[in-house]
Amino acid sequence: MKLFTFLPLSSLLLVTSFIPSSYALPNPRGADKERLPRFNFNSIISEEKYFIEAGNGIDLGHYDKRYFQGLIDYDEHRATLQHLIRSYLTVFREELNIETWLAHGTLLGWWWNGRIMPWDADLDVQVSAEALSLLTKTGYNMTFHDYQYTSDDDEDGKGRKKQGSRRYLLDINPWSAERSRLLGLNVIDARWIDTSNGMFIDITGLAERDPDNMPGVWSCKNYHRYYTTDLYPLRETEFEGVPALVPYSFNRVLIDEYGTKSMVQTEFAGHHWVPGVKAWLKDLSPDASESVQPMMSS
């Protein structure tokens, strides 16, 4: 399968500059926020955080407490994320037949070179709220999925790639049916969790929360909003070597979330972009950052 062919950045910026101001998304933290459907205030009182991480901060905050075995080093961290996203995309496409697409920093990594950015601490994908409901109703919540893989780099001593398997848990938040943000404790609707170490993919559901007043505006609980034409029809592509989907107007989605700087900045988090190999490489200077951290913000 061929990767989607990108427009040069100069052309991309030229196209987006002609988008009329009336097309701008409603300000998620502006006055229009009060137009969203009223929620049950009794839910606020009873809301408890469902997903519990191993701790706070960039490092511990990206491990599920139930399966946490200790922090993973730089090299294993990226390999673990690769297995996570490959298994997730493959299972959702081939076994569950559920439409899912790349989002946030994961989508930005795809834009650069179709790969995870090496400093990313976790991965983000989106589905429709209806898909989450369907998965729950059909009994796929709290199901385990075994995934066979071939290592990208390691060899077995005989010149052959190492084979392995990992088990993943699809855990859907019982608060996913509640489309209001409430106290913000359950903005993540589901997770795809590596049971060997606790690392995960965040899955968020999008829905038209106010079709009468804001038709065609899709949003999650974390104030990210998209027009239907931003998302659909989803584009077929590849990510980390497996089939994947991305939003139709991926350029608009990324610029709206991160700004144009994220598409031209070639140094970040102790890494630099090398055009010749189309990859982010770790800086070799002594003060280069050893940690993994999220791109810009999400």
Side-chain angles (χ1 to χ4, degrees), residues 214-238:
M214 300 169 65
V217 176
W218 296 69
S219 64
C220 67
K221 300 175 190 176
N222 213 22
Y223 299 131
H224 293 289
R225 295 185 182 176
Y226 315 87
Y227 281 107
T228 301
T229 50
D230 289 335
L231 300 173
Y232 297 102
L234 295 167
R235 295 183 185 268
E236 286 274 358
T237 182
E238 287 183 1

Side-chain angles (χ1 to χ4, degrees), residues 62-63 72-89 106 115-124 147 152 166 168 192 194 197-202 239-240 242 292-293:
H62 291 93
Y63 293 85
I72 294 175
D73 65 26
Y74 178 89
D75 292 328
E76 185 181 351
H77 189 278
R78 184 167 186 179
T80 297
L81 289 181
Q82 287 174 329
H83 295 319
L84 268 167
I85 195 63
R86 289 170 179 169
S87 62
Y88 171 84
L89 292 174
T106 306
R115 304 193 69 184
I116 299 165
M117 291 181 291
W119 58 81
D120 268 350
D122 68 351
L123 299 166
D124 290 284
Y147 183 76
D152 282 351
R166 299 203 184 198
Y168 299 95
W192 183 257
D194 188 329
N197 52 42
M199 293 180 66
F200 52 76
I201 297 175
D202 279 336
F239 186 65
E240 288 292 350
V242 299
V292 289
Q293 52 186 294

Side-chain angles (χ1 to χ4, degrees), residues 12-242:
L12 181 152
L13 296 179
L14 179 63
V15 171
T16 56
S17 67
F18 284 97
I19 297 175
S21 59
S22 60
Y23 187 73
L25 287 174
N27 181 0
R29 291 179 174 80
D32 68 314
K33 190 173 79 171
E34 64 187 16
R35 295 176 57 187
L36 294 175
R38 294 176 180 270
F39 48 76
N40 187 345
F41 283 91
N42 290 329
S43 296
I44 291 183
I45 298 174
S46 62
E47 184 185 14
E48 294 182 0
K49 181 174 169 59
Y50 177 70
F51 289 119
I52 305 299
E53 294 77 30
N56 298 319
I58 292 176
D59 293 328
L60 294 177
H62 291 93
Y63 293 85
D64 184 281
K65 185 176 181 179
R66 292 167 290 182
Y67 299 104
F68 180 62
Q69 302 291 328
L71 294 175
I72 294 175
D73 65 26
Y74 178 89
D75 292 328
E76 185 181 351
H77 189 278
R78 184 167 186 179
T80 297
L81 289 181
Q82 287 174 329
H83 295 319
L84 268 167
I85 195 63
R86 289 170 179 169
S87 62
Y88 171 84
L89 292 174
T90 300
V91 169
F92 266 59
R93 175 182 288 253
E94 298 181 359
E95 296 182 25
L96 305 183
N97 196 29
I98 293 293
E99 203 170 54
T100 183
W101 56 94
L102 308 180
H104 308 313
T106 306
L107 180 63
L108 185 58
W110 168 83
W111 185 88
W112 276 94
N113 62 352
R115 304 193 69 184
I116 299 165
M117 291 181 291
W119 58 81
D120 268 350
D122 68 351
L123 299 166
D124 290 284
V125 296
Q126 293 172 334
V127 296
S128 69
E130 289 79 5
L132 286 173
S133 177
L134 178 63
L135 286 170
T136 301
K137 292 177 180 177
T138 52
Y140 283 105
N141 187 22
M142 298 303 292
T143 54
F144 293 90
H145 302 264
D146 293 319
Y147 183 76
Q148 308 297 319
Y149 67 87
T150 301
S151 173
D152 282 351
D153 304 311
D154 298 332
E155 296 185 350
D156 61 3
K158 298 181 180 180
R160 298 174 300 189
K161 297 294 185 180
K162 286 184 178 180
Q163 306 291 316
S165 65
R166 299 203 184 198
R167 171 163 286 193
Y168 299 95
L169 170 66
L170 175 58
D171 191 351
I172 301 175
N173 191 333
W175 288 91
S176 62
E178 171 60 64
R179 298 316 303 164
S180 298
R181 182 181 172 86
L182 301 180
L183 296 175
L185 300 177
N186 294 286
V187 295
I188 302 302
D189 292 307
R191 277 179 176 164
W192 183 257
I193 304 168
D194 188 329
T195 61
S196 69
N197 52 42
M199 293 180 66
F200 52 76
I201 297 175
D202 279 336
I203 307 170
T204 52
L206 299 184
E208 287 185 280
R209 294 171 62 182
D210 190 5
D212 292 332
N213 296 313
M214 300 169 65
V217 176
W218 296 69
S219 64
C220 67
K221 300 175 190 176
N222 213 22
Y223 299 131
H224 293 289
R225 295 185 182 176
Y226 315 87
Y227 281 107
T228 301
T229 50
D230 289 335
L231 300 173
Y232 297 102
L234 295 167
R235 295 183 185 268
E236 286 274 358
T237 182
E238 287 183 1
F239 186 65
E240 288 292 350
V242 299

